[in-house]
Amino acid sequence: MKKVKCAPAEAELAVSLPFSAAAPASHRSPAKSLFAVTLGNGLEIYDFAVYSFFSVIIGHLFFPTDSDSASLLLAVATFGVGFFMRPLGSLVLGHYADKHGRKAALTLIMALMALGVALVAFAPTYAQVGMLAPAMLVTGRLLQGFSAGGEVGAATSWLMEAGDQARRGSRVSWQMASQGGAALLGAAMGALLTHSLSQDALYSWGWRIPFIVGLAIMPVGIYIRRHLHETHVPAIAAPASHPASRLWRDYRRQMLLGILLGMKSTTSFYIIVYYMPAYMVHTLHMPASTSYWISLLAGGLTLVVPFFAGKLADRLPRRKPLLLACGVGSLLLIWPIFATLHSGAPFALTMALIAIDQVLVNITAVAFFLLILEAFPRSVRASGMALIYAISATLFGGFAQFNVTWLLNVTGNAMAPAWYLLLSALVSLTALLAWREKPVLSDE
C-alpha cells in the first residue's frame, strides 16, 4: 500500500483499508471479521436481555424490601445506572478508536465488557454479604456501561469502512442483527430456565447461568478481534484537539439532532424487547411463559429484518424518506399494541401488531446508523457515532424501564408505556424533519 503524506492541515485524515486490499490473506475472512465485530454488541445486548428477564429475582436477591414494587424499581434502576457511564465510555473509547484504530479499540472494549459481566455473574447476594452485594452489582453494570459506550461507535465505523460504499448498508445491518440474535438467545435462555427449574433453583443459582454463558463466549471474541484487519490508520501527526471538541465546534447540529433521532428506536427496543416480560407479569398479571413470546418474536425479527433493510438502504439514494415513512407507521401502531394487550384481545392480534412494528423499527435502526455514520468524516466518525448513541441510549433507553415503572406506580394507568413511547416517537420525528441530509460522504 502506498504511503500517504499528510500536510499539516490534513493531519487528521486517515488511510482507507478495505477488505480487498487491507490485510494479509490470513486476516481477510469477511464472515469471521463480521462475526468478531458484531459479537461484542451482541453480547452486550444479550446481557441486558437476561438482566431484564431476571430483574424480579435480582431485585429480591440484591435489594430486599417490604415491597415487591420497590425491589423491582431498584433492580431496573441498577439496569439503568450503567448507562451513566456510556457517555464517558463513548468519549474515551471513541477517541481511542479514532486515534489508535478500530481493531485496538474493539479488543480493549471486549476485555472491559468481560470484566463487567464477571462481576454481575459472580456477585454474592444481599443475604450473604449485605450492602457489598448491590455495590458489586452496580460496579459491574457501570463497567459494562463504560465499555458499551465505545462499542457501537467503533464497531459500526469498522463495518461501514470495511468494504465498498455500495454495500455499506448490508454490512452495517449486521450490527442490528447481532442485537436481535442476542435478544433472541436471552429470551430463549430465560424461557428455558423458567420452565425447567424450580423457583428455589432459579433464586439459588439458576439466574446466574445466562451471565456465565455470555462470559464464556467473550475470550473467543477477544481472540478474533485481535486478528482483525484495520480499516482506519490515523495519520502520524496528532490531531489538534480532542474529537469531542471538533464535533461540538463543527457538527453541533448533527450531534443534537442525532441524539433526539435515536429516542424512539432506543425506547422501543428497551421497552418492547426487555421490559415487556416484567410488565406483563407484574402489571397485567399474565403468565411468565406467555410474556416471553413477545421477546422471542421481537428478537427473531431483529435477527432477520436488518439484512433486508440493509439491502434496501443500499438501493436508495437517501436515508431520510425511509426513516420518515417507517417512523410514522411505527407511531400509529403504539397505542393499538398496548390497548389490545390491556383489553384482553386475542394475544395473536397483539403479536401481529408487534411484528409489524418491529419490522418498521428495524428498518429505521439500520437507516439511522447509516444516516449518522455518513454525517461525519472518518477522523471523528467513531467518536460521533459513539457519543450520539451513548447519550441517546442513556437519556432515553437506559432509564426507560425505570421511568415506565415509576409512571405505572404513580398513575396506576397500565397504558403508561404507550404514552412514553408516543412521546418518544413524536420527538424523533420532529428531529428527523429538522435534519439536513447531505450527499453521502466519500470514505476519505
Side-chain angles (χ1 to χ4, degrees):
M1 183 177 68
K2 294 181 180 180
K3 294 182 179 179
V4 177
K5 295 181 179 180
C6 297
E10 299 170 331
E12 63 186 1
L13 297 183
V15 180
S16 176
L17 296 173
F19 265 127
S20 57
S26 61
H27 294 173
R28 284 188 195 169
S29 170
K32 182 184 290 187
S33 297
L34 288 170
F35 171 77
V37 171
T38 55
L39 179 63
N41 189 59
L43 286 172
E44 171 207 340
I45 297 300
Y46 166 82
D47 177 69
F48 282 17
V50 294
Y51 186 100
S52 295
F53 297 147
F54 291 101
S55 59
V56 174
I57 294 177
I58 291 172
H60 289 156
L61 292 176
F62 289 86
F63 307 100
T65 68
D66 295 332
S67 168
D68 289 343
S69 295
S71 294
L72 178 60
L73 196 61
L74 289 169
V76 296
T78 301
F79 175 90
V81 77
F83 284 79
F84 275 128
M85 293 295 286
R86 281 197 174 205
L88 178 61
S90 68
L91 280 171
V92 176
L93 299 173
H95 175 48
Y96 189 85
D98 285 330
K99 184 177 180 180
H100 299 285
R102 316 304 189 210
K103 181 173 75 170
L106 288 168
T107 304
L108 173 62
I109 289 166
M110 181 71 82
L112 293 173
M113 197 179 299
L115 180 58
V117 174
L119 284 173
V120 175
F122 299 111
T125 64
Y126 184 90
Q128 295 171 322
V129 295
M131 289 301 297
L132 181 61
M136 288 185 65
L137 188 70
V138 170
T139 301
R141 292 293 302 144
L142 289 173
L143 191 54
Q144 287 175 285
F146 181 82
S147 60
E151 172 69 22
V152 170
T156 53
S157 295
W158 188 95
L159 290 168
M160 178 182 175
E161 298 161 356
D164 61 283
Q165 181 174 314
R167 299 190 64 229
R168 58 175 49 165
S170 297
R171 293 191 303 275
V172 170
S173 68
W174 278 74
Q175 186 75 330
M176 276 305 299
S178 72
Q179 296 186 23
L184 186 63
L185 179 60
M189 288 288 289
L192 177 64
L193 292 171
T194 300
H195 281 83
S196 60
L197 297 179
S198 66
Q199 188 176 43
D200 288 342
L202 281 172
Y203 272 77
S204 178
W205 52 270
W207 69 271
R208 299 182 188 272
I209 292 177
F211 296 100
I212 295 172
V213 169
L215 183 63
I217 299 172
M218 288 188 176
V220 178
I222 294 172
Y223 174 80
I224 299 176
R225 284 188 171 191
R226 288 183 61 188
H227 293 82
L228 282 174
H229 72 271
E230 184 57 77
T231 67
H232 171 66
V233 177
I236 296 176
S241 60
H242 192 284
S245 300
R246 184 183 168 194
L247 287 169
W248 182 251
R249 183 182 69 245
D250 299 335
Y251 300 96
R252 188 182 313 170
R253 179 184 176 87
Q254 291 93 323
M255 292 294 297
L256 294 175
L257 290 177
I259 291 167
L260 296 177
L261 270 171
M263 184 176 182
K264 167 57 171 63
S265 58
T266 301
T267 55
S268 179
F269 194 78
Y270 284 100
I271 289 177
I272 298 295
V273 179
Y274 296 149
Y275 184 71
M276 191 64 81
Y279 169 73
M280 292 173 66
V281 172
H282 190 263
T283 302
L284 303 182
H285 307 291
M286 299 176 68
S289 57
T290 301
S291 68
Y292 282 119
W293 281 108
I294 288 180
S295 295
L296 288 169
L297 172 67
L301 288 172
T302 306
L303 175 62
V304 175
V305 173
F307 293 116
F308 296 97
K311 292 181 182 296
L312 175 62
D314 284 334
R315 293 177 176 271
L316 298 176
R318 291 288 185 269
R319 318 301 181 195
K320 187 172 176 178
L322 184 61
L323 283 165
L324 186 60
C326 293
V328 171
S330 182
L331 181 149
L332 295 176
L333 286 167
I334 293 172
W335 190 263
I337 287 173
F338 284 90
T340 56
L341 196 61
H342 181 60
S343 66
F347 189 60
L349 176 60
T350 304
M351 293 282 283
L353 292 173
I354 289 176
I356 298 171
D357 176 67
Q358 288 302 298
V359 168
L360 297 175
V361 166
N362 280 285
I363 295 174
T364 298
V366 173
F368 166 77
F369 276 133
L370 288 169
L371 186 77
I372 301 302
L373 290 167
E374 291 166 351
F376 301 105
R378 181 188 292 263
S379 54
V380 292
R381 181 175 295 145
S383 297
M385 182 74 245
L387 273 169
I388 286 175
Y389 190 84
I391 295 173
S392 183
T394 300
L395 293 178
F396 310 125
F399 283 91
Q401 299 186 58
F402 179 88
N403 292 339
V404 168
T405 302
W406 178 80
L407 285 172
L408 286 167
N409 289 339
V410 170
T411 65
N413 188 343
M415 295 297 287
W419 289 113
Y420 192 86
L421 283 172
L422 281 169
L423 175 62
S424 301
L426 289 172
V427 170
S428 290
L429 283 173
T430 302
L432 178 61
L433 292 173
W435 183 276
R436 300 168 185 166
E437 187 174 13
K438 297 179 181 179
V440 175
L441 288 170
S442 61
D443 226 9
E444 73 275 7

